Amino acid sequence: MKKKEKETPQEEGIKAKKSLGQNFLNSDGALDAIIKAGRVTKGDKVLEIGPGKGALTKRLLETGANVVAVEKDDRLIPILEDLFAKEINTKKLTLIHGDVLKFDPSLYGLKAKEYKLIANIPYYITGEITRKFLSGNFQPSLIVVLVQKEVAERITTSTQGSVKIKEGKESILSISVKAYGQPKYIQTVKAGSFFPPPKVDSAILLIDNISKKNFENIFKEQKFFDVVKTGFAHKRKTLSSNLKRFTTKEKLSEFGINQKERAENITLEQWLEIARNT
Ligand code: SAM
């Protein structure tokens, strides 16, 4: 029989709150893979969202990284303070009791491109978190997060640059992430690796080389998303019909886009081309 390695959060007396997306990670293999995907080394600055009971925090600190961790659940704060008293004292860990969606990284020495975001995030705010940290003014250099498997699959679908590498459909989500960085599906994490287990399997997602190089200014960024959202607005319609108010069939064919093409088959480079030229 397999030896039991550690107590689960339930055994330690904290009942997981569904409303806060609490599924505590209980897998050494997954923790190793997260640290490896984030290339976490001594001296790195890391932002962790939702440290929970500290499973990932512990691993991050073991690498010698400096960690800023934001936790919303007040019940978990004394547990974390107790567990990491030494690291808090030596300022290796800064523990913040608060909501990550209201959190300003620059107030805690996390400057754009100079820190990594590494977390087992609460799934109910996956969209808000990715939007905030990809399009905000304080982008991390890379992101490693656990997300629902299906979300990771949708984000990492099909294209690399303008070249299709395998079949798969693009979505507003996948194009939005690719506009800022390079997403990579690292590995599946089975529901049973968490306590309590979520309804679906999860996956470790890396978003590497994050930047705003595709957007010269705010206006271009807004225009890009306006075009992408309009292009995806009516799923059954062709792209040229969805994009009537922005461009013509002739113009689209100049970008190598067939009259009958649908939004899901358009690459990031083609979307950028359309947004820049309409
Ligand atoms: N990191 C821990 C682990 O891997 O076991 C816990 C991960 S659990 C999926 C998500 C954590 O995010 C919980 O501890 C939860 O309380 C916290 N959380 C939920 N909403 C939050 C918010 N808006 N801001 C900060 N933390 C939040």
Side-chain angles (χ1 to χ4, degrees):
M1 219 173 86
K2 228 177 151 190
K3 207 177 133 214
K4 203 165 170 205
E5 285 171 24
K6 52 191 162 215
E7 284 186 309
T8 66
Q10 193 191 44
E11 286 162 334
E12 286 171 48
I14 291 277
K15 197 166 180 296
K17 272 191 189 167
K18 228 175 163 182
S19 61
L20 285 175
Q22 290 181 345
N23 301 101
F24 299 98
L25 190 53
N26 213 0
S27 152
D28 285 334
L31 287 164
D32 289 343
I34 293 171
I35 299 292
K36 191 169 166 218
R39 307 185 292 274
V40 189
T41 52
K42 194 169 183 219
D44 274 358
K45 287 183 180 172
V46 176
L47 170 62
E48 186 190 2
I49 298 168
K53 299 202 73 183
L56 179 57
T57 322
K58 181 167 177 284
R59 291 299 191 91
L60 289 167
L61 289 165
E62 278 168 3
T63 67
N66 293 295
V67 180
V68 176
V70 187
E71 174 56 61
K72 191 171 178 183
D73 188 347
D74 47 6
R75 300 172 309 161
L76 295 170
I77 298 297
I79 293 173
L80 290 163
E81 281 173 345
D82 203 34
L83 200 58
F84 299 113
K86 191 172 120 232
E87 290 84 354
I88 292 172
N89 248 327
T90 54
K91 302 211 171 3
K92 292 299 283 179
L93 172 65
T94 306
L95 182 63
I96 296 155
H97 180 204
D99 182 342
V100 71
L101 299 178
K102 296 182 185 141
F103 171 75
D104 179 349
S106 65
L107 298 179
Y108 295 89
L110 302 173
K111 292 193 194 129
K113 308 284 184 343
E114 291 181 11
Y115 74 98
K116 297 172 176 178
L117 167 53
I118 301 191
N120 173 17
I121 56 173
Y123 294 164
Y124 75 103
I125 44 173
T126 302
E128 280 104 319
I129 290 172
T130 42
R131 252 195 308 285
K132 171 166 176 150
F133 288 94
L134 285 178
S135 65
N137 290 326
F138 34 71
Q139 289 179 319
S141 58
L142 63 77
I143 294 177
V144 180
V145 277
L146 269 157
V147 293
Q148 289 180 355
K149 183 173 180 240
E150 196 238 335
V151 173
E153 283 172 349
R154 281 179 60 212
I155 290 174
T156 54
T157 189
S158 79
T159 49
Q160 249 181 19
S162 55
V163 184
K164 277 209 175 252
I165 53 168
K166 66 176 163 93
E167 273 317 301
K169 290 173 182 172
E170 297 290 358
S171 58
I172 297 180
L173 180 66
S174 66
I175 290 293
S176 306
V177 171
K178 287 172 187 178
Y180 295 106
Q182 294 165 337
K184 189 171 174 202
Y185 190 104
I186 301 292
Q187 73 178 52
T188 304
V189 181
K190 291 277 179 197
S193 303
F194 299 86
F195 190 86
K199 287 206 178 75
V200 292
D201 287 342
S202 299
I204 300 169
L205 173 74
L206 163 69
I207 307 173
D208 213 349
N209 298 315
I210 295 172
S211 80
K212 286 210 178 195
K213 69 175 168 43
N214 286 321
F215 307 109
E216 291 132 44
N217 54 47
I218 295 290
F219 171 73
K220 281 269 165 64
E221 200 168 344
Q222 279 170 356
K223 172 85 176 291
F224 172 80
F225 285 104
D226 208 7
V227 169
V228 173
K229 278 180 195 150
T230 312
F232 274 98
H234 304 284
K235 275 199 170 155
R236 294 197 184 160
K237 288 193 182 171
T238 61
L239 182 74
S240 60
S241 147
N242 273 335
L243 285 184
K244 249 186 203 146
R245 80 176 160 97
F246 286 105
T247 190
T248 60
K249 283 179 188 164
E250 291 70 34
K251 198 104 200 180
L252 287 177
S253 70
E254 283 174 30
F255 309 139
I257 299 167
N258 184 296
Q259 282 197 13
K260 300 230 165 88
E261 203 61 279
R262 287 176 201 279
E264 64 201 31
N265 297 317
I266 304 302
T267 65
L268 171 65
E269 269 64 29
Q270 288 170 322
W271 284 114
L272 287 165
E273 195 83 356
I274 299 168
R276 283 191 196 113
N277 293 286
T278 53

